Amino acid sequence: MVDMGPPQSMRMGGTGAAGAQSTTPAPATATATAWASCMELERRLKAESRKRSFWDPEVRRLRLALQSAYEGLIFADYAYAVSKDVEQLIWKSVHYRPIEEFRNRLKIAGQAVAQPGPAGAEAQPQQQKLLSAYLKFLDEAISSYKRLVWKLQYVYGQCGAIGVEIDASVQNDIVQKTLQAPAGTAPSPSHLVHKFLIYLGDLNRYQATAMKGSRTEWTRAIQWYRSAAAVLPSR
């Protein structure tokens, strides 16, 4: 497994929408409660991750609950979520930590397969099982970020993200269950959309590496990075 270095998203730093570290606004009561819930889920996830496998059902359930809580905060109080770098928190806690664990395990599995004789052959099924689980995890993460980008532009208005296609059933569910921000008062979603497009590029880049340099995934990664640059050319 080739280590492609830190993700593009990790190299961007934790900045607010204007590109500099923002001052966190005083939250309303509902926002403060939502943020406290996110922090409690972070605490529980870290505690369980120390005791259980990263793929344990309870750990996976907590990751999904945390992702849902952070997403709820984004659409309840966009400015506060941006000031808290919620996009970085989602990426690190929900996606990148499991990715690192998968990479470590795949490296060990690759070393086992490289052993001469029967030992190497016997290790191959486990390696393939692990690789399949990793690729599925990346696919699910990609779907999650595409849905978020689509929903952000639906709620707060278009900001130039292109090529973001999601299933019609998912679109209909968002439209039916989500209120759009009033025209003229909605914040621009470009900051979070820009970050999420970069994460999409990172995820396709990881897929390409896992699939031994898949041209399709590399092409998709480049397209996401270009789309992010189109949303915020100054970044």
Side-chain angles (χ1 to χ4, degrees):
M1 180 66 71
V2 179
D3 187 357
M4 298 306 298
Q8 294 285 335
S9 47
M10 291 293 195
R11 294 195 288 268
M12 292 179 58
T15 59
Q21 188 64 40
S22 59
T23 301
T24 303
T29 301
T31 300
T33 300
W35 177 249
S37 296
C38 292
M39 293 299 95
E40 174 60 17
L41 284 167
E42 281 275 14
R43 185 195 65 78
R44 290 171 57 192
L45 177 58
K46 289 177 182 177
E48 291 301 318
S49 296
R50 286 193 290 267
K51 298 184 292 184
R52 305 170 187 254
S53 163
F54 82 110
W55 211 237
D56 180 90
E58 176 62 11
V59 174
R60 292 162 70 182
R61 185 193 69 79
L62 285 170
R63 277 201 300 267
L64 289 174
L66 180 61
Q67 178 175 348
S68 178
Y70 278 138
E71 290 181 14
L73 184 62
I74 288 172
F75 293 102
D77 193 330
Y78 181 89
Y80 185 80
V82 168
S83 75
K84 288 293 189 179
D85 290 324
V86 162
E87 73 283 359
Q88 294 270 9
L89 296 172
I90 295 173
W91 173 250
K92 292 176 182 177
S93 297
V94 178
H95 298 117
Y96 195 65
R97 284 172 185 157
I99 287 170
E100 286 186 313
E101 186 66 32
F102 269 120
R103 284 172 160 178
N104 290 335
R105 295 190 179 210
L106 282 166
K107 181 179 179 180
I108 294 170
Q111 292 171 345
V113 168
Q115 295 181 82
E122 290 172 2
Q124 288 180 1
Q126 178 60 27
Q127 182 193 44
Q128 287 303 310
K129 182 179 179 181
L130 187 59
L131 179 59
S132 295
Y134 178 44
L135 291 174
K136 181 180 179 182
F137 180 84
L138 293 175
D139 275 335
E140 290 173 348
I142 287 169
S143 295
S144 169
Y145 280 113
K146 287 168 67 176
R147 174 182 53 79
L148 263 174
V149 170
W150 197 95
K151 186 175 179 179
L152 278 165
Q153 293 196 115
Y154 172 76
V155 172
Y156 296 118
Q158 294 292 319
C159 64
I162 57 176
V164 183
E165 299 178 356
I166 60 176
D167 291 341
S169 61
V170 178
Q171 291 184 27
N172 291 336
D173 187 62
I174 292 172
V175 170
Q176 291 172 9
K177 296 180 180 180
T178 310
L179 293 175
Q180 291 179 289
T185 63
S188 169
S190 56
H191 172 73
L192 289 187
V193 168
H194 175 257
K195 290 287 188 76
F196 291 152
L197 290 170
I198 289 176
Y199 297 151
L200 281 164
D202 290 344
L203 290 164
N204 276 126
R205 186 161 55 91
Y206 301 155
Q207 282 186 326
T209 302
M211 297 167 69
K212 309 299 183 185
S214 165
R215 285 189 177 182
T216 300
E217 302 309 324
W218 277 118
T219 299
R220 287 175 180 163
I222 292 169
Q223 289 171 341
W224 290 127
Y225 293 140
R226 286 176 176 169
S227 184
V231 170
L232 284 180
S234 60
R235 296 293 177 90

